[in-house]
Amino acid sequence: MSARDRLADGLYGAGWSTVKKLPEPVAVRLGRTVADVAWKRRGAGVRRLESNYARVVPGASPERLAALSRAGMRSYLRYWMESFRLPAWSRERIEGGFAPEDLHHLTDGMAAGKGVILALPHLANWDLAGAWVTTKLGIPFTTVAERLKPETLYDRFVAYREGLGMEVLPHSGGSAFGTLARRLRDGGLVCLVADRDLSASGVEVDFFGETARMPAGPALLAQQTGALLLPVTLWYDDSPVMRGRVHPPVEVPGTGTRAEKTSVMTQALADAFATGIADHPEDWHMLQRLWLKDLDPAKAPGAGGRGAR
């Protein structure tokens, strides 16, 4: 293990062992302090966050983007502070920590017995939403986690999420899709974070007026299993309670090839995600490149392309 990997593993380990023991007001203040320090340093992640927000809030002034990125870093650190503390939260704290709207789309779908896929962007804290589903609703679910380096860090994340009642499958290896399909055919619940896929298998979508790639998995699973596909968006307000919305189902088109159906359905997911992100941009924790223009230096903003909008 490299020194960098040991440092990453040690920092996350300290977070889960130390932060969860702090009183909640202290953890909140610590998160804000760390966020503000990171924001003032204007590292690559903060700069990328502002660039992404420029697409979401077209025409925003530099001052507006700076304010958004500061709020975005505070939201991002709130996510981490909550995640480090979730294993120590009481059942009552978890049940009172999330208030979703239009939950009937999920509960009716589960009652129908055909399985449900929840697809989410990187908004607010999906781990908290997942813990709420397993605790408040008593519904277990299966998800997928990207293999992280070092392996010990990946193991920490898997153990953490399994401790919240989730079944976690590794993203690599090729067997995850088949297992997810079996869970859905058995009437189960699958939850997937689905707003970024830079692989060749990603589906191109129009996202805030420019092309990005999102994973095909949610649409393909819905087609192959008959499961209901539901977009979900999350956000924070000024209270300790996270908010959310379960959007109406994404329907499988009646005609077209599998690829054409997948494209239409993934675009529908992207549109639902865009609605939630536009309403609460500061809670979208996208500190990485997303749009294809940003991946191609010849088309990057400021290099002869249309630039950030």
Side-chain angles (χ1 to χ4, degrees):
M1 185 188 300
S2 69
R4 182 177 179 178
D5 287 347
R6 287 196 299 271
L7 176 62
D9 184 56
L11 288 173
Y12 283 106
W16 272 302
S17 63
T18 303
V19 173
K20 71 179 180 182
K21 299 176 183 177
L22 297 175
E24 189 154 344
V26 175
V28 170
R29 289 196 299 272
L30 175 62
R32 285 204 164 201
T33 299
V34 172
D36 288 348
V37 169
W39 177 76
K40 289 177 182 177
R41 292 180 62 183
R42 291 196 58 78
V46 173
R47 297 195 305 273
R48 177 55 54 189
L49 190 64
E50 282 189 14
S51 175
N52 290 339
Y53 286 161
R55 263 66 173 241
V56 175
V57 189
S61 66
E63 293 77 14
R64 169 65 171 148
L65 291 175
L68 269 177
S69 67
R70 184 179 189 182
M73 291 303 296
R74 286 184 170 187
S75 175
Y76 185 47
L77 263 295
R78 175 173 172 174
Y79 158 77
W80 279 113
M81 291 297 109
E82 287 179 348
S83 295
F84 287 144
R85 291 174 52 75
L86 262 175
W89 279 14
S90 67
R91 180 184 184 92
E92 292 72 23
R93 178 68 179 88
I94 292 174
E95 291 182 353
F98 180 41
E101 301 171 5
D102 299 327
L103 187 64
H104 65 93
H105 292 304
L106 169 59
T107 54
D108 291 350
M110 293 301 297
K114 293 184 178 180
V116 174
I117 307 156
L118 298 180
L120 308 89
H122 286 81
L123 274 169
N125 190 344
W126 87 271
D127 284 323
L128 172 56
W132 186 89
V133 167
T134 60
T135 304
K136 176 74 172 181
L137 302 184
I139 301 175
F141 67 86
T142 305
T143 189
V144 174
E146 180 181 358
R147 281 201 173 276
L148 303 172
K149 292 183 179 181
E151 192 75 15
T152 51
L153 181 56
Y154 171 77
D155 291 341
R156 287 185 189 275
F157 271 95
V158 170
Y160 156 65
R161 287 176 173 148
E162 288 181 341
L164 299 176
M166 311 175 192
E167 179 188 21
V168 182
L169 308 176
H171 185 272
S172 59
S175 62
F177 188 91
T179 302
L180 294 173
R182 286 194 295 274
R183 299 292 183 269
L184 292 168
R185 290 191 181 102
D186 290 339
L189 177 64
V190 164
C191 299
L192 301 169
V193 178
D195 58 345
R196 185 173 185 263
D197 184 352
L198 303 183
S199 71
S201 62
V203 178
E204 291 193 1
V205 296
D206 181 276
F207 197 52
F208 291 100
E210 295 186 27
T211 304
R213 288 197 193 110
M214 294 188 180
L220 288 172
L221 284 167
Q223 292 175 61
Q224 292 195 16
T225 67
L228 201 65
L229 175 55
L230 300 175
V232 176
T233 54
L234 310 170
W235 67 91
Y236 292 125
D237 57 17
D238 294 330
S239 77
V241 180
M242 184 176 69
R243 310 294 172 174
R245 180 188 175 200
V246 183
H247 294 251
V250 172
E251 302 292 343
V252 178
T255 60
T257 65
R258 183 173 70 170
E260 289 169 342
K261 293 178 180 179
T262 300
S263 178
V264 170
M265 296 173 72
T266 306
Q267 183 64 60
L269 279 181
D271 292 343
F273 294 165
T275 298
I277 292 167
D279 287 343
H280 305 279
E282 68 279 3
D283 292 323
W284 189 41
H285 307 149
M286 185 56 65
L287 280 71
Q288 302 85 25
R289 296 176 181 181
L290 176 72
W291 282 274
L292 299 193
K293 277 191 174 182
D294 292 344
L295 303 178
D296 182 351
K299 297 180 181 179
R306 283 186 295 168
R309 302 190 306 115

